Amino acid sequence: MGFAIAPPAISLPTSTPISQVKPDDRHLSEAQLKSLARSITVKVKVDRAWGSGILVRKRGATYFAVTNQHVVAYSDRLSIQTMDGRIYPAKARRIEFGDSDLALLEFQAKSNYTIAPLGQTYNVKVGDEVFAAGFPSETEHTDRIENIPTRGQTSNLAGFNFVPGRISLLTPKVIAGGYQIGYTNDIRKGMSGGPLLNRQGQVIGINGMHAYPIWGDPFVFTDGSRPERSQHEIMMRLSWAIPIETFIAVFKSERSVGLGAAPPRRSGTPLPPNKHLVFGLI
């Protein structure tokens, strides 16, 4: 199967290179994609539990990472562990993100970490290869902290997971929380907030829901309607991500963060009309 060439990544102002992906070398090998995903994905620690996050901005010694709101909703005892195993105290920024399941964290670090290249979902279609990353909680039992660490403390960083798959659904209406991208990658608890990358190494979505959710029925559209039964059964079998444009649109006006320009789309609005944005199953 051929792949459509994605548009250039959205560049965020940063003092470090956005990524190692060159404009003329967009089709990356799986090994390259895994290495990139590993460099931009962080573990977001919340008391004795954790989720994942994506490094999206650096300003001086301040880094910003996006994650899911449900990852950080129940505690302000936050820290971020980076790819080199260092742990940094973190705090959530008070930014209005509407009903989207998103949160923005910041932490201070002198180290030079890779900032994620952000793509667009306008050209994605059912059947496209995608790659999900994060830190599933069931793979690690020893790397838990009792207290917020001192800045730069190091610890073993195990359990990173990188999972290939394909896009299976693109919903024209927004699911509660901002979700619209359904994919076959096996997302586990703890991978919420991690990146969903295309074959060109661009982040096109933020992981947030795994298949067969345990609590309640999350598949309610923001207009209050529900999918048909046959559609609902398909949706239950997939993992789900929030389109990256939703994050960019929410935070682009936060001048103190300086996330730069975004496509003309507001948070929580449907993806643009496109013949590919329909229910489908591969």
Side-chain angles (χ1 to χ4, degrees):
M1 176 180 291
F3 297 92
I5 298 299
I10 298 170
S11 298
L12 305 186
T14 175
S15 59
T16 60
I18 288 179
S19 76
Q20 300 302 311
V21 181
K22 299 179 180 179
D24 296 329
D25 187 23
R26 296 178 183 168
H27 196 94
L28 304 183
S29 69
E30 191 165 323
Q32 289 174 313
L33 288 165
K34 184 175 182 179
S35 178
L36 172 62
R38 184 67 186 80
S39 68
I40 64 174
T41 306
V42 296
K43 179 180 286 187
V44 178
K45 298 197 170 193
V46 186
D47 289 333
R48 293 172 176 264
W50 65 81
S52 302
I54 310 165
L55 294 174
V56 293
R57 171 75 164 103
K58 180 185 180 183
R59 186 186 63 199
T62 302
Y63 282 89
F64 298 90
V66 63
T67 187
N68 292 131
Q69 173 63 23
H70 75 257
V71 170
V72 299
Y74 301 106
S75 177
D76 58 0
R77 291 167 48 86
L78 307 174
S79 61
I80 282 179
Q81 190 167 11
T82 50
M83 58 89 66
D84 55 4
R86 293 184 177 274
I87 302 173
Y88 302 94
K91 62 180 180 180
R93 291 189 63 95
R94 296 186 179 278
I95 297 176
E96 179 55 50
F97 44 79
D99 296 327
S100 297
D101 183 18
L102 295 171
L104 188 68
L105 308 180
E106 67 174 83
F107 65 99
Q108 302 291 315
K110 294 181 179 180
S111 298
N112 191 21
Y113 298 119
T114 301
I115 302 302
L118 306 186
Q120 297 176 339
T121 55
Y122 287 89
N123 287 344
V124 301
K125 60 185 182 296
V126 170
D128 281 355
E129 274 190 293
V130 285
F131 302 84
F135 295 94
S137 57
E138 66 268 27
T139 63
E140 184 177 2
H141 303 283
T142 60
D143 187 20
R144 301 189 178 188
I145 57 173
E146 297 294 332
N147 300 295
I148 295 297
T150 58
R151 181 173 290 108
Q153 172 183 336
T154 60
S155 177
N156 177 49
L157 186 60
F160 177 73
N161 203 14
F162 178 79
V163 189
R166 294 183 183 270
I167 292 178
S168 187
L169 287 178
L170 292 164
T171 62
K173 293 199 292 186
V174 183
I175 300 168
Y179 295 94
Q180 285 183 270
I181 305 174
Y183 45 104
T184 62
N185 311 56
D186 186 14
I187 301 303
R188 303 294 179 90
K189 180 181 178 182
M191 294 178 70
S192 290
L196 182 71
L197 299 108
N198 61 17
R199 192 75 197 196
Q200 291 73 42
Q202 301 164 350
V203 176
I204 61 168
I206 302 162
N207 301 323
M209 284 199 292
H210 56 70
Y212 300 105
I214 299 174
W215 305 108
D217 181 4
F219 299 113
V220 179
F221 297 116
T222 53
D223 64 3
S225 64
R226 294 176 179 270
E228 297 179 1
R229 183 174 180 177
S230 59
Q231 295 172 339
H232 184 272
E233 291 176 355
I234 294 171
M235 295 168 77
M236 287 284 290
R237 299 199 296 267
L238 301 174
S239 301
W240 288 88
I242 300 171
I244 195 62
E245 289 96 339
T246 300
F247 163 70
I248 298 171
V250 169
F251 296 114
K252 69 175 182 178
S253 61
E254 184 67 12
R255 295 183 179 180
S256 63
V257 178
L259 288 174
R265 176 171 176 260
R266 295 179 300 168
S267 170
T269 60
L271 291 168
N274 185 304
K275 65 180 180 179
H276 299 303
L277 301 181
V278 295
F279 282 97
L281 181 64
I282 58 174

